[in-house]
Each structure stands twice: as structure tokens, then as C-alpha cells.
Coordinates of all heavy atoms in Angstrom, one line a residue:
G391 N 126.8 153.4 56.0 CA 126.2 154.2 54.8 C 127.2 155.2 54.3 O 128.3 155.4 54.9
V392 N 126.9 155.8 53.3 CA 127.8 156.8 52.6 C 128.2 157.9 53.5 O 129.3 158.4 53.4 CB 127.0 157.3 51.3 CG1 127.6 158.7 51.0 CG2 127.5 156.4 50.1
D393 N 127.3 158.3 54.4 CA 127.7 159.4 55.3 C 128.7 159.1 56.3 O 129.2 160.0 57.1 CB 126.4 159.9 56.0 CG 125.5 158.8 56.5 OD1 124.8 158.2 55.6 OD2 125.5 158.6 57.7
T394 N 129.0 157.8 56.5 CA 130.0 157.5 57.5 C 131.4 157.3 56.8 O 132.4 157.0 57.5 CB 129.7 156.1 58.2 OG1 129.7 155.0 57.3 CG2 128.4 156.2 58.9
L395 N 131.5 157.5 55.5 CA 132.8 157.4 54.8 C 133.6 158.7 54.8 O 133.0 159.8 55.0 CB 132.5 157.0 53.3 CG 131.8 155.6 53.1 CD1 131.5 155.4 51.7 CD2 132.8 154.5 53.6
M396 N 134.9 158.5 54.7 CA 135.8 159.6 54.8 C 136.3 160.1 53.5 O 136.4 159.4 52.5 CB 137.0 159.2 55.7 CG 136.6 158.8 57.1 SD 138.1 158.7 58.1 CE 138.8 157.1 57.7
R397 N 136.7 161.4 53.5 CA 137.4 162.0 52.4 C 138.9 161.9 52.7 O 139.3 162.6 53.7 CB 136.9 163.4 52.1 CG 135.5 163.5 51.5 CD 134.8 164.7 51.7 NE 135.6 165.9 51.4 CZ 135.7 166.3 50.1 NH1 135.0 165.7 49.2 NH2 136.4 167.4 49.8
I398 N 139.7 161.1 52.0 CA 141.1 160.8 52.4 C 142.1 161.4 51.4 O 142.1 160.9 50.2 CB 141.2 159.3 52.6 CG1 140.2 158.8 53.6 CG2 142.6 159.0 52.9 CD1 139.8 157.4 53.4
P399 N 142.9 162.3 51.8 CA 144.0 162.9 50.9 C 145.2 161.9 51.0 O 145.4 161.1 51.9 CB 144.4 164.2 51.5 CG 144.0 164.1 52.9 CD 142.9 163.1 53.1
P400 N 146.1 161.9 50.0 CA 147.2 161.0 49.9 C 148.1 161.1 51.2 O 148.6 160.0 51.6 CB 148.1 161.7 48.8 CG 147.1 162.3 47.8 CD 146.0 162.8 48.8
S401 N 148.2 162.2 51.9 CA 149.0 162.3 53.1 C 148.4 161.4 54.2 O 149.2 160.9 55.1 CB 149.1 163.7 53.6 OG 147.9 164.2 53.9
V402 N 147.1 161.3 54.3 CA 146.5 160.4 55.2 C 146.6 158.9 54.9 O 146.9 158.0 55.7 CB 145.0 160.8 55.5 CG1 144.3 159.8 56.4 CG2 145.0 162.3 56.1
L403 N 146.4 158.6 53.6 CA 146.5 157.3 53.0 C 147.8 156.7 53.4 O 148.0 155.6 53.8 CB 146.3 157.3 51.5 CG 146.4 156.0 50.7 CD1 145.4 155.1 51.1 CD2 146.1 156.4 49.2
K404 N 148.9 157.5 53.2 CA 150.2 157.2 53.5 C 150.5 156.7 54.9 O 151.4 155.9 55.2 CB 151.1 158.4 53.3 CG 152.4 158.2 52.6 CD 153.0 159.6 52.3 CE 154.5 159.5 51.9 NZ 155.2 160.8 51.6
Q405 N 149.7 157.1 55.9 CA 149.9 156.7 57.2 C 149.4 155.3 57.5 O 149.6 154.8 58.6 CB 149.1 157.7 58.2 CG 149.7 159.0 58.2 CD 148.7 160.1 58.8 OE1 147.7 159.8 59.3 NE2 149.0 161.4 58.6
H406 N 148.8 154.6 56.4 CA 148.4 153.3 56.7 C 149.1 152.4 55.7 O 148.5 152.0 54.7 CB 146.8 153.2 56.4 CG 146.0 154.2 57.3 ND1 145.5 153.8 58.5 CD2 145.7 155.5 57.2 CE1 144.9 154.9 59.1 NE2 145.0 155.9 58.3
R407 N 150.3 152.1 56.0 CA 151.0 151.3 55.1 C 151.8 150.1 55.8 O 152.8 149.6 55.3 CB 152.1 152.1 54.4 CG 153.0 152.9 55.3 CD 154.0 153.8 54.6 NE 154.7 154.6 55.5 CZ 155.4 155.7 55.1 NH1 155.5 155.9 53.8 NH2 156.0 156.4 55.9
S408 N 151.3 149.6 57.0 CA 151.9 148.5 57.7 C 150.9 147.3 57.5 O 149.8 147.5 57.3 CB 152.1 148.8 59.1 OG 150.9 148.9 59.8
K409 N 151.4 146.2 57.7 CA 150.7 144.9 57.6 C 149.4 144.9 58.5 O 148.4 144.3 58.2 CB 151.5 143.7 57.8 CG 152.4 143.2 56.7 CD 153.1 141.9 57.0 CE 154.2 141.6 56.1 NZ 154.9 140.4 56.4
S410 N 149.5 145.5 59.7 CA 148.5 145.5 60.6 C 147.5 146.6 60.4 O 146.4 146.7 61.1 CB 149.0 145.6 62.1 OG 149.8 146.7 62.2
D411 N 147.9 147.5 59.5 CA 147.0 148.7 59.2 C 147.3 149.2 57.8 O 148.0 150.2 57.5 CB 147.3 149.7 60.2 CG 146.4 151.1 59.9 OD1 145.5 151.0 59.2 OD2 146.9 152.2 60.3
A412 N 146.7 148.5 56.8 CA 147.1 148.8 55.4 C 145.8 149.2 54.6 O 144.8 148.5 54.6 CB 147.7 147.5 54.7
W413 N 145.9 150.4 54.1 CA 144.9 151.0 53.2 C 145.4 151.2 51.9 O 146.7 151.3 51.7 CB 144.4 152.4 53.7 CG 143.7 152.3 55.0 CD1 143.4 151.4 55.8 CD2 143.0 153.6 55.6 NE1 142.6 151.8 56.9 CE2 142.5 153.2 56.8 CE3 143.0 154.9 55.2 CZ2 141.8 154.0 57.6 CZ3 142.3 155.8 56.1 CH2 141.7 155.3 57.2
S414 N 144.6 151.1 50.8 CA 145.1 151.3 49.5 C 143.9 151.9 48.7 O 142.7 151.6 49.0 CB 145.6 150.0 48.7 OG 146.2 150.4 47.5
A415 N 144.2 152.7 47.7 CA 143.2 153.3 46.8 C 143.1 152.7 45.5 O 144.1 152.4 44.9 CB 143.4 154.9 46.7
F416 N 141.9 152.4 45.0 CA 141.7 151.8 43.7 C 140.5 152.6 43.1 O 139.4 152.6 43.6 CB 141.3 150.3 43.8 CG 142.4 149.5 44.4 CD1 142.2 149.1 45.7 CD2 143.5 149.2 43.7 CE1 143.3 148.3 46.4 CE2 144.5 148.3 44.3 CZ 144.4 148.0 45.7
N417 N 140.8 153.1 41.9 CA 139.8 154.0 41.2 C 139.1 155.0 42.0 O 137.8 155.0 42.0 CB 138.8 153.0 40.5 CG 139.5 152.2 39.4 OD1 140.2 152.6 38.7 ND2 139.2 150.9 39.4
G418 N 139.8 155.7 42.9 CA 139.2 156.8 43.7 C 138.6 156.2 45.0 O 138.1 157.2 45.8
K419 N 138.6 155.0 45.2 CA 138.0 154.5 46.5 C 139.2 153.9 47.4 O 140.0 153.3 46.9 CB 137.0 153.4 46.3 CG 135.7 153.9 45.7 CD 134.8 152.7 45.4 CE 133.4 153.2 44.9 NZ 132.5 152.0 44.6
V420 N 139.1 154.3 48.7 CA 140.1 153.8 49.6 C 139.5 152.7 50.4 O 138.5 152.7 50.9 CB 140.5 155.0 50.6 CG1 141.5 154.4 51.6 CG2 141.1 156.1 49.8
Y421 N 140.3 151.6 50.4 CA 139.9 150.3 51.0 C 140.9 149.9 52.2 O 142.1 150.1 52.0 CB 139.9 149.2 50.1 CG 138.8 149.3 49.0 CD1 139.2 149.8 47.8 CD2 137.5 149.0 49.3 CE1 138.2 149.9 46.8 CE2 136.5 149.1 48.3 CZ 136.9 149.6 47.1 OH 136.0 149.7 46.0
N422 N 140.4 149.3 53.2 CA 141.2 148.8 54.3 C 141.6 147.3 53.7 O 140.7 146.4 53.8 CB 140.5 148.7 55.6 CG 141.4 148.0 56.7 OD1 142.5 147.7 56.4 ND2 140.8 147.8 57.8
I423 N 142.8 147.1 53.3 CA 143.1 145.8 52.7 C 143.7 144.9 53.7 O 144.0 143.7 53.3 CB 144.1 146.0 51.5 CG1 145.3 146.8 51.9 CG2 143.5 146.7 50.3 CD1 146.5 146.8 50.8
T424 N 143.9 145.3 55.0 CA 144.4 144.4 56.0 C 143.8 143.1 56.1 O 144.5 142.1 56.1 CB 144.3 145.1 57.4 OG1 144.8 146.5 57.3 CG2 145.2 144.5 58.4
P425 N 142.5 142.9 56.2 CA 141.8 141.6 56.4 C 142.0 140.7 55.1 O 141.8 139.5 55.2 CB 140.4 141.9 56.6 CG 140.2 143.3 56.4 CD 141.5 144.1 56.2
Y426 N 142.3 141.4 54.0 CA 142.4 140.6 52.7 C 143.8 140.1 52.4 O 144.1 139.2 51.7 CB 141.9 141.4 51.6 CG 141.9 140.7 50.3 CD1 141.0 139.6 50.0 CD2 142.7 141.1 49.2 CE1 141.1 139.0 48.8 CE2 142.7 140.5 47.9 CZ 141.9 139.3 47.8 OH 141.8 138.7 46.6
L427 N 144.8 140.7 53.1 CA 146.2 140.4 52.9 C 146.5 138.9 52.8 O 147.1 138.3 52.0 CB 147.2 141.0 53.9 CG 147.4 142.5 53.8 CD1 148.1 143.0 55.0 CD2 148.2 142.8 52.5
A428 N 146.0 138.1 53.8 CA 146.2 136.7 54.0 C 145.5 135.9 52.9 O 145.9 134.7 52.6 CB 145.8 136.2 55.3
F429 N 144.6 136.5 52.2 CA 143.8 135.7 51.3 C 144.0 136.0 49.8 O 143.5 135.4 48.9 CB 142.3 136.0 51.5 CG 141.8 135.6 52.9 CD1 141.8 136.6 53.9 CD2 141.5 134.3 53.2 CE1 141.3 136.2 55.2 CE2 141.1 133.8 54.4 CZ 141.0 134.8 55.5
H430 N 144.9 137.1 49.5 CA 145.2 137.5 48.2 C 145.9 136.4 47.4 O 147.0 135.9 47.8 CB 146.1 138.7 48.2 CG 146.4 139.2 46.8 ND1 147.8 139.5 46.5 CD2 145.7 139.4 45.7 CE1 147.8 139.9 45.2 NE2 146.6 139.8 44.8
P431 N 145.3 135.9 46.3 CA 145.9 134.7 45.5 C 147.4 135.1 45.0 O 148.1 134.2 44.8 CB 144.9 134.6 44.4 CG 143.7 135.2 44.8 CD 144.0 136.4 45.7
G432 N 147.6 136.4 44.9 CA 148.9 136.8 44.4 C 149.9 137.0 45.5 O 151.1 137.3 45.3
G433 N 149.5 136.7 46.7 CA 150.4 136.8 47.9 C 150.4 138.1 48.7 O 150.0 139.2 48.1
E434 N 150.8 138.1 49.9 CA 150.7 139.3 50.7 C 151.8 140.3 50.3 O 151.5 141.5 50.3 CB 151.1 138.8 52.2 CG 151.0 139.9 53.2 CD 151.3 139.3 54.6 OE1 152.5 139.2 54.9 OE2 150.4 138.9 55.3
R435 N 153.0 139.9 49.9 CA 154.0 140.8 49.4 C 153.6 141.7 48.3 O 153.8 142.9 48.3 CB 155.3 140.0 49.0 CG 156.2 139.9 50.2 CD 157.5 139.3 49.7 NE 158.5 140.2 49.1 CZ 159.7 139.9 48.8 NH1 160.2 138.7 49.0 NH2 160.5 140.8 48.2
E436 N 153.0 141.0 47.3 CA 152.5 141.8 46.2 C 151.4 142.8 46.6 O 151.5 144.0 46.2 CB 151.9 140.9 45.1 CG 152.8 140.1 44.3 CD 153.6 140.9 43.3 OE1 153.0 141.3 42.3 OE2 154.8 141.2 43.6
L437 N 150.6 142.5 47.4 CA 149.6 143.3 47.8 C 150.1 144.5 48.7 O 149.6 145.7 48.6 CB 148.5 142.6 48.5 CG 147.1 143.3 48.8 CD1 146.6 144.1 47.6 CD2 146.1 142.3 49.3
M438 N 151.1 144.2 49.5 CA 151.7 145.3 50.3 C 152.4 146.3 49.5 O 152.7 147.4 50.0 CB 152.7 144.6 51.3 CG 152.0 144.0 52.6 SD 151.0 145.3 53.4 CE 152.2 146.4 54.1
R439 N 152.7 146.0 48.3 CA 153.3 147.1 47.4 C 152.5 148.3 47.2 O 153.0 149.3 46.9 CB 153.7 146.5 46.1 CG 154.8 145.5 46.0 CD 154.9 144.8 44.7 NE 155.3 145.7 43.6 CZ 155.3 145.3 42.3 NH1 154.9 144.1 42.0 NH2 155.6 146.2 41.4
V440 N 151.2 148.1 47.3 CA 150.3 149.3 47.2 C 149.8 149.8 48.5 O 148.9 150.7 48.5 CB 149.1 148.9 46.3 CG1 149.7 148.6 44.9 CG2 148.3 147.8 46.8
A441 N 150.3 149.3 49.6 CA 149.9 149.7 51.0 C 150.2 151.2 51.2 O 151.4 151.6 50.9 CB 150.4 148.9 52.1
G442 N 149.3 152.0 51.5 CA 149.6 153.5 51.8 C 149.6 154.3 50.6 O 149.9 155.5 50.7
R443 N 149.3 153.7 49.4 CA 149.2 154.6 48.2 C 148.1 154.1 47.2 O 147.4 153.2 47.4 CB 150.6 154.6 47.6 CG 151.0 153.1 47.1 CD 152.6 153.3 46.8 NE 153.1 152.1 46.0 CZ 153.0 152.1 44.7 NH1 152.5 153.1 43.9 NH2 153.4 151.0 44.0
D444 N 148.1 154.9 46.1 CA 147.2 154.6 45.1 C 147.6 153.4 44.2 O 148.6 153.4 43.6 CB 147.0 155.8 44.1 CG 145.8 155.7 43.2 OD1 145.4 154.5 42.9 OD2 145.4 156.6 42.7
G445 N 146.9 152.2 44.3 CA 147.2 151.0 43.6 C 146.5 150.8 42.3 O 146.7 149.7 41.7
T446 N 145.9 151.8 41.8 CA 145.1 151.7 40.5 C 145.9 151.1 39.4 O 145.5 150.2 38.7 CB 144.4 153.0 40.2 OG1 143.7 153.5 41.2 CG2 143.5 152.8 39.0
E447 N 147.1 151.7 39.2 CA 147.9 151.3 38.0 C 148.4 149.9 38.2 O 148.3 149.1 37.2 CB 149.0 152.3 37.8 CG 148.6 153.5 37.1 CD 149.7 154.5 36.8 OE1 150.8 154.0 36.6 OE2 149.5 155.7 36.8
L448 N 149.0 149.5 39.3 CA 149.5 148.1 39.5 C 148.4 147.2 39.5 O 148.6 146.1 38.9 CB 150.2 148.1 40.8 CG 151.6 148.2 40.9 CD1 152.2 148.2 42.3 CD2 152.4 147.2 40.0
F449 N 147.2 147.5 39.9 CA 146.1 146.5 39.9 C 145.7 146.3 38.5 O 145.5 145.2 38.0 CB 144.9 147.1 40.7 CG 143.8 146.2 40.8 CD1 143.6 145.4 41.9 CD2 142.8 146.1 39.8 CE1 142.6 144.4 42.0 CE2 141.7 145.2 39.9 CZ 141.6 144.4 40.9
A450 N 145.6 147.4 37.7 CA 145.2 147.3 36.3 C 146.2 146.4 35.5 O 145.9 145.7 34.6 CB 145.0 148.7 35.7
A451 N 147.5 146.6 35.9 CA 148.6 146.0 35.1 C 148.6 144.5 35.4 O 149.1 143.7 34.6 CB 149.9 146.5 35.5
T452 N 148.1 144.1 36.6 CA 148.2 142.7 37.0 C 146.9 141.9 36.6 O 147.0 140.8 36.2 CB 148.6 142.5 38.6 OG1 147.7 143.4 39.3 CG2 150.0 142.8 38.8
H453 N 145.8 142.4 36.9 CA 144.6 141.8 36.7 C 143.3 142.7 36.6 O 142.6 142.8 37.5 CB 144.3 140.7 37.8 CG 144.6 141.1 39.2 ND1 144.4 142.4 39.8 CD2 145.3 140.4 40.2 CE1 144.8 142.4 41.0 NE2 145.4 141.3 41.2
A454 N 143.3 143.3 35.5 CA 142.2 144.3 35.2 C 140.8 143.7 35.2 O 139.8 144.3 35.4 CB 142.4 145.0 33.8
W455 N 140.8 142.2 35.1 CA 139.6 141.5 35.0 C 139.0 141.3 36.4 O 137.8 140.8 36.5 CB 139.8 140.2 34.3 CG 140.7 139.3 35.0 CD1 140.5 138.4 35.9 CD2 142.2 139.2 34.6 NE1 141.7 137.8 36.3 CE2 142.7 138.3 35.5 CE3 143.0 139.9 33.8 CZ2 144.1 137.9 35.6 CZ3 144.3 139.6 33.8 CH2 144.9 138.6 34.7
V456 N 139.7 141.5 37.4 CA 139.3 141.2 38.8 C 138.4 142.4 39.2 O 138.8 143.6 39.0 CB 140.5 141.0 39.7 CG1 139.9 141.0 41.2 CG2 141.2 139.8 39.4
N457 N 137.3 142.2 39.8 CA 136.4 143.2 40.4 C 136.6 143.5 41.9 O 136.0 143.0 42.7 CB 134.9 142.8 40.1 CG 133.9 144.0 40.4 OD1 134.2 144.9 41.1 ND2 132.7 143.8 39.8
A458 N 137.6 144.5 42.1 CA 138.0 144.8 43.4 C 136.8 145.5 44.2 O 136.7 145.3 45.4 CB 139.2 145.7 43.4
D459 N 136.1 146.3 43.4 CA 135.0 147.0 44.0 C 133.9 146.1 44.8 O 133.5 146.3 45.8 CB 134.1 147.7 42.8 CG 134.3 149.2 42.9 OD1 135.0 149.7 43.8 OD2 133.7 149.8 42.0
F460 N 133.8 144.9 44.0 CA 132.8 144.0 44.5 C 133.5 143.2 45.7 O 132.8 143.0 46.7 CB 132.4 143.0 43.4 CG 131.6 141.8 43.8 CD1 130.2 142.0 44.2 CD2 132.1 140.6 44.0 CE1 129.5 140.9 44.5 CE2 131.4 139.5 44.4 CZ 130.1 139.6 44.7
M461 N 134.7 142.7 45.5 CA 135.4 142.0 46.5 C 135.6 142.6 47.9 O 135.6 142.1 48.9 CB 136.7 141.4 45.9 CG 136.6 140.5 44.9 SD 138.3 139.8 44.3 CE 138.8 139.0 45.8
L462 N 135.9 143.9 47.7 CA 136.3 144.7 48.8 C 135.3 145.6 49.4 O 135.5 146.5 50.2 CB 137.6 145.6 48.6 CG 138.8 144.8 48.2 CD1 139.9 145.7 47.7 CD2 139.3 143.9 49.3
D463 N 134.0 145.4 48.9 CA 132.9 146.3 49.4 C 132.8 146.6 50.8 O 132.6 147.7 51.3 CB 131.6 145.7 48.8 CG 130.5 146.6 49.1 OD1 130.6 147.7 48.6 OD2 129.5 146.2 49.7
S464 N 133.0 145.5 51.6 CA 132.9 145.6 53.2 C 134.1 146.3 53.7 O 134.1 146.6 55.0 CB 132.6 144.3 53.7 OG 133.7 143.4 53.6
C465 N 135.1 146.5 53.0 CA 136.4 147.1 53.4 C 136.5 148.6 53.0 O 137.6 149.1 53.2 CB 137.6 146.3 53.0 SG 137.6 144.6 53.4
L466 N 135.4 149.1 52.4 CA 135.5 150.5 51.9 C 135.6 151.5 53.1 O 134.9 151.4 54.0 CB 134.3 150.8 51.1 CG 134.2 152.2 50.5 CD1 135.3 152.4 49.4 CD2 132.9 152.3 49.7
V467 N 136.6 152.3 53.0 CA 136.9 153.4 54.1 C 136.4 154.7 53.7 O 135.9 155.5 54.4 CB 138.3 153.4 54.5 CG1 138.6 154.4 55.5 CG2 138.9 152.1 54.9
G468 N 136.6 155.1 52.3 CA 136.2 156.4 51.9 C 136.7 156.6 50.6 O 137.0 155.7 49.8
F469 N 136.8 157.9 50.2 CA 137.2 158.3 48.9 C 138.5 159.2 48.8 O 138.7 160.0 49.7 CB 136.1 159.2 48.3 CG 134.7 158.4 48.2 CD1 133.8 158.5 49.2 CD2 134.6 157.5 47.2 CE1 132.7 157.8 49.2 CE2 133.3 156.7 47.2 CZ 132.4 156.9 48.1
L470 N 139.3 158.8 47.9 CA 140.6 159.6 47.7 C 140.3 160.9 47.2 O 139.6 161.1 46.1 CB 141.6 158.8 46.8 CG 142.9 159.2 46.7 CD1 143.7 159.2 48.0 CD2 143.6 158.5 45.5
I471 N 140.8 162.0 47.8 CA 140.7 163.4 47.3 C 142.1 163.9 47.1 O 143.1 163.3 47.6 CB 139.9 164.3 48.4 CG1 140.6 164.3 49.8 CG2 138.5 163.8 48.5 CD1 140.2 165.4 50.7
S472 N 142.2 165.0 46.4 CA 143.5 165.6 46.3 C 143.9 166.3 47.6 O 143.0 166.7 48.3 CB 143.6 166.6 45.1 OG 142.5 167.5 45.1
E473 N 145.2 166.5 47.8 CA 145.8 167.1 49.0 C 145.2 168.5 49.1 O 145.4 169.3 48.2 CB 147.3 167.2 48.9 CG 148.0 167.2 50.2 CD 147.7 166.0 51.0 OE1 147.8 164.8 50.6 OE2 147.4 166.2 52.3
P474 N 144.6 168.9 50.1 CA 144.2 170.3 50.4 C 145.3 171.2 50.4 O 146.4 170.8 50.9 CB 143.4 170.2 51.8 CG 143.2 168.8 52.1 CD 144.3 168.0 51.4
S475 N 145.2 172.4 49.7 CA 146.3 173.3 49.7 C 146.5 173.9 51.0 O 145.5 174.1 51.8 CB 146.0 174.4 48.6 OG 144.9 175.1 49.0
P476 N 147.7 174.2 51.5 CA 148.0 174.8 52.7 C 147.2 176.0 53.1 O 146.9 176.3 54.3 CB 149.5 175.1 52.7 CG 150.0 174.4 51.6 CD 149.0 174.2 50.6
S477 N 146.8 176.8 52.1 CA 146.0 178.0 52.4 C 144.6 177.8 52.7 O 144.0 178.7 53.3 CB 146.2 179.0 51.1 OG 145.7 178.3 50.0
S478 N 144.1 176.7 52.4 CA 142.6 176.4 52.6 C 142.3 175.9 54.0 O 143.1 175.4 54.7 CB 142.0 175.6 51.5 OG 142.6 174.2 51.6
Ligands
LIG1494 C1 146.0 137.4 41.6 C2 142.6 140.0 43.9 C3 145.8 143.7 44.2 C4 149.1 141.1 42.1 C5 144.8 137.8 42.2 C6 143.6 137.1 42.0 C7 142.7 137.9 42.6 C8 143.3 139.0 43.1 C9 141.2 137.6 42.7 C10 143.4 135.8 41.2 C11 143.1 136.2 39.8 C12 143.0 135.2 38.9 O1 143.4 134.0 39.1 O2 142.4 135.4 37.8 C13 143.2 141.3 44.2 C14 142.5 142.3 44.8 C15 143.5 143.3 45.0 C16 144.7 142.9 44.4 C17 141.1 142.3 45.4 C18 143.2 144.7 45.7 C19 143.0 144.7 46.9 C20 147.0 143.3 43.7 C21 148.1 144.1 43.5 C22 149.1 143.4 42.9 C23 148.5 142.1 42.6 C24 148.2 145.6 43.9 C25 150.5 143.8 42.4 C26 151.2 144.7 43.0 C27 148.6 139.8 41.8 C28 149.3 138.8 41.1 C29 148.4 137.7 41.0 C30 147.1 138.1 41.6 C31 150.8 138.8 40.6 C32 148.6 136.4 40.2 C33 148.9 135.3 41.2 C34 149.1 134.1 40.4 O3 148.2 133.6 39.6 O4 150.1 133.4 40.6 N1 144.6 139.0 42.8 N2 144.5 141.6 43.9 N3 147.2 142.1 43.2 N4 147.3 139.4 42.1 FE1 145.9 140.5 43.0

């Protein structure tokens, strides 16, 4: 459920950029893309370009018609938030 999802800043997203542990953000939602890597019609290499970072722009540039929200629903990890300031 929604209460088990995390709030993820870019610095944490960045820690998940390997093939065995790949997260990416699309439209504010962070997904674990690891299980999908082998199935991506555009290939693993293309998908790994957005591992550990916000893939919204690249995704929109390649296939805006694909519904990632629907496809990756079971891989949702949480929501991308802005980096907390050091003082907070
Ligand atoms: C193709 C899904 C991320 C590059 C496709 C197709 C799907 C898909 C369903 C087939 C589309 C069609 O035939 O109309 C996804 C999902 C993504 C994702 C769910 C997010 C997790 C990306 C990213 C890139 C990318 C980030 C680029 C860096 C491509 C390319 C193709 C493709 C180049 C075309 C392959 C071809 O037809 O030869 N993707 N994609 N994809 N994807 Fe992705």
C-alpha cells in the first residue's frame, strides 16, 4: 500500500544504478527497473542509461506513447523528492 512507499531524494536514487539493483524515476515515481531490464524491447543498454537517475525526459523522447505507470506498477518503490537541505 501507499504507506509502505518511500520518499526518495536524488542522492538515494543514485545509489541504485547497477544491473542487479537499478532504480529510475519517471514522472515523480521511483521504480525498481531491475526485473524489467531483460524484457525491455529497446534493450538493456538503453534502459540502463536512466539507472540511478530521473529518466522522464529520455523516456518521453523515445516513446511517450508507452504507459510506464501501468507496466511498472508492481515495481513501484516510492516518490522522488527534492534533496533535503543540509540544515533540515
Ligand atoms: C521500446 C518500454 C525506458 C528506449 C520500448 C517499447 C516498450 C518500452 C513497451 C516498445 C514500444 C513500441 O514498440 O511501441 C519501456 C519502459 C521503460 C522504458 C516501461 C521504463 C522503465 C526506456 C528508456 C529508453 C528507452 C529510458 C532510452 C534511454 C527505447 C527504444 C525503444 C524502446 C530505443 C525502441 C526499440 C525498437 O523498436 O527497436 N520501450 N521503455 N526505453 N525503448 Fe523503452
Side-chain angles (χ1 to χ4, degrees):
V392 148
D393 44 286
T394 64
L395 296 172
M396 298 192 280
R397 287 156 54 81
I398 302 153
S401 60
V402 171
L403 181 59
K404 217 173 166 178
Q405 290 162 13
H406 303 269
R407 56 181 171 195
S408 69
K409 282 187 193 177
S410 58
D411 176 24
W413 291 4
S414 184
F416 301 100
N417 295 316
K419 290 179 177 179
V420 176
Y421 295 98
N422 177 3
I423 56 172
T424 316
Y426 184 64
L427 282 171
F429 300 99
H430 179 229
E434 186 179 85
R435 263 185 86 169
E436 284 290 286
L437 192 47
M438 277 304 292
R439 289 170 63 192
V440 298
R443 61 192 196 88
D444 193 335
T446 306
E447 280 184 28
L448 263 179
F449 185 92
T452 45
H453 38 45
W455 59 89
V456 172
N457 190 335
D459 252 359
F460 174 77
M461 291 184 62
L462 298 175
D463 186 55
S464 63
C465 301
L466 185 62
V467 177
F469 301 96
L470 186 65
I471 59 166
S472 53
E473 202 64 44
S475 62
S477 56
S478 65

